[in-house]
Amino acid sequence: MGGCRVLCQVWGGWWRGPGVGSARKVAGFGTEARRQLQPRGSSNRSGSLGNQPFPGLLHPENLSREELVDVLRASVVDQKGKPGELTLFSVLPELSHSLGFGEQELQVVRASGKETSGLVLLSSCPQTASRLQKFFACSRRAQRPTATYWAVTDGIPATSEGKIQAALKLEYVDGVGSVVPVKSPSRKDILEGVKRTLSHFRVVATGPGCALVQLQPLTVFPSQLQVHMVLQLCPVLGDHMYSARVGTVLGQRFLLPAESTKPQKQVLDEALLRRLHLTPAQAAQMPLHLHLHCLHLPGTRPRDAPIELLAPLPSYFSRTLQCLGLRQQ
């Protein structure tokens, strides 16, 4: 599977330009069935992650083009092949040259959402990119999950696992896009861009008023997982776009009308803030705790075992798990 690169993206702002975690290179893409990707200098030891509210959170707006290329190049975790606004796309030519591809173009094969951390799959080989895109498309038609996300949620889902199904559409108000659910969509709605979406979820760990949830989308739609968790009345921690749709009266949560609820900074209750050791002002800057943890890819040849790529958690995500007592299983 020539010409592939996998980046471990530590913080989103994907379209604006991600902060990317430093992770080691692994030669020979497609030679192992499972790989755990660890950042340089990482340790399996548990313990204090310091007093920073969001350790490991990078700010792309503070980087030059050259510095962003260096960060991206250092973030390659798997490879095979020849050694206006700042965004990942805008520096792909420099990244390609830095990785030894010369004039070959890098293209994005698979990536997480705009503000989601985790894996980014790039390819300089059109045939490889096409093969992978066909694999992902076939997997979606067969409802086989190829991506696994981890999310920390404000609230605990009512059931420990299940499916979330919702018809969603993308609406624009004053130039800002927002995803809203559509009840009982008609055939006309489907033709006009409404899509039926589906995700699997499983609660991995729980704490007082919070949970670590594994999510596997079986369809592709912008902000699908964030909106699905809001529909479960458990918005993802750091979701400053959709969390305001969940209201609370006398301790009972309910959904507010999506069409009339404007995005706002997520508001957390005092008990959760204390456990996170955050002030309300710090919580308003909290990054989205949604991480593309695992990608399943086909082997290099038809008879080869499938490949499983695992991305380490960003430091701020690990800190949150420690503060909330949510243990990974």
Side-chain angles (χ1 to χ4, degrees):
M1 194 178 298
C4 257
R5 294 292 187 274
V6 184
L7 302 180
C8 179
Q9 179 190 3
V10 166
W11 179 59
W14 163 249
W15 303 113
R16 296 191 299 273
V20 183
S22 178
R24 65 182 176 87
K25 292 184 180 180
V26 181
F29 185 84
T31 59
E32 299 175 17
R34 178 184 176 94
R35 294 199 178 99
Q36 175 69 48
L37 311 176
Q38 290 292 346
R40 289 175 184 157
S42 66
S43 171
N44 292 326
R45 293 177 297 175
S46 60
S48 174
L49 286 170
N51 296 322
Q52 298 180 29
F54 311 119
L57 182 62
L58 301 182
H59 297 278
E61 63 273 16
N62 296 331
L63 300 176
S64 67
R65 293 181 68 90
E66 293 76 14
E67 288 170 334
L68 180 57
V69 171
D70 288 342
V71 170
L72 293 172
R73 187 165 68 98
S75 301
V76 173
V77 294
D78 202 294
Q79 70 176 55
K80 183 179 181 181
K82 297 180 179 180
E85 187 176 38
L86 187 61
T87 66
L88 171 60
F89 290 108
S90 71
V91 298
L92 283 181
E94 289 101 318
L95 179 60
S96 178
H97 186 270
S98 178
L99 292 172
F101 284 113
E103 299 302 318
Q104 289 180 280
E105 292 185 1
L106 282 173
Q107 55 184 304
V108 177
V109 180
R110 188 69 180 263
S112 51
K114 183 171 71 172
E115 296 184 352
T116 306
S117 62
L119 292 164
V120 177
L121 184 62
L122 308 175
S123 178
S124 63
C125 174
Q127 291 79 14
T128 296
S130 176
R131 179 191 171 205
L132 289 172
Q133 294 289 11
K134 289 179 181 178
F135 167 76
F136 291 135
C138 289
S139 297
R140 285 194 296 271
R141 287 195 294 270
Q143 294 197 343
R144 292 192 304 267
T146 57
T148 299
Y149 291 76
W150 282 356
V152 180
T153 60
D154 174 20
I156 303 173
T159 58
S160 60
E161 61 181 300
K163 295 181 179 180
I164 307 170
Q165 300 182 71
L168 303 178
K169 67 176 179 178
L170 183 61
E171 288 189 343
Y172 286 90
V173 178
D174 297 328
V176 178
S178 177
V179 176
V180 299
V182 178
K183 293 183 178 180
S184 304
S186 65
R187 187 172 183 179
K188 180 181 178 183
D189 291 330
I190 299 299
L191 292 174
E192 292 180 350
V194 175
K195 182 171 181 177
R196 293 186 175 91
T197 61
L198 172 64
S199 300
H200 288 161
F201 76 91
R202 181 175 69 87
V203 177
V204 177
T206 61
C210 59
L212 174 63
V213 181
Q214 181 189 81
L215 294 163
Q216 293 180 316
L218 295 174
T219 53
V220 177
F221 200 82
S223 302
Q224 173 178 317
L225 296 179
Q226 290 168 251
V227 175
H228 279 187
M229 292 314 298
V230 164
L231 294 176
Q232 296 293 300
L233 303 178
C234 299
V236 178
L237 214 59
D239 182 355
H240 306 297
M241 183 69 186
Y242 300 104
S243 61
R245 296 179 183 177
V246 179
T248 305
V249 172
L250 299 177
Q252 298 298 313
R253 296 189 173 198
F254 62 95
L255 282 176
L256 294 168
E259 293 82 358
S260 59
T261 305
K262 294 183 179 180
Q264 65 180 39
K265 295 294 185 180
Q266 188 176 39
V267 178
L268 303 176
D269 63 42
E270 292 185 4
L272 195 56
L273 285 174
R274 285 196 299 270
R275 296 183 66 201
L276 289 168
H277 306 290
L278 297 176
T279 66
Q282 289 173 328
Q285 303 303 316
M286 179 180 292
L288 185 68
H289 281 57
L290 182 62
H291 179 75
L292 177 48
H293 169 63
C294 176
L295 275 178
H296 294 274
L297 305 178
T300 306
R301 293 175 294 273
R303 295 184 179 180
D304 288 351
I307 301 162
E308 185 181 65
L309 296 175
L310 304 177
L313 292 174
S315 299
Y316 64 81
F317 202 120
S318 297
R319 177 191 183 276
T320 296
L321 295 183
Q322 285 189 7
C323 291
L324 298 180
L326 299 174
R327 294 190 176 183
Q328 308 166 35
Q329 297 179 2

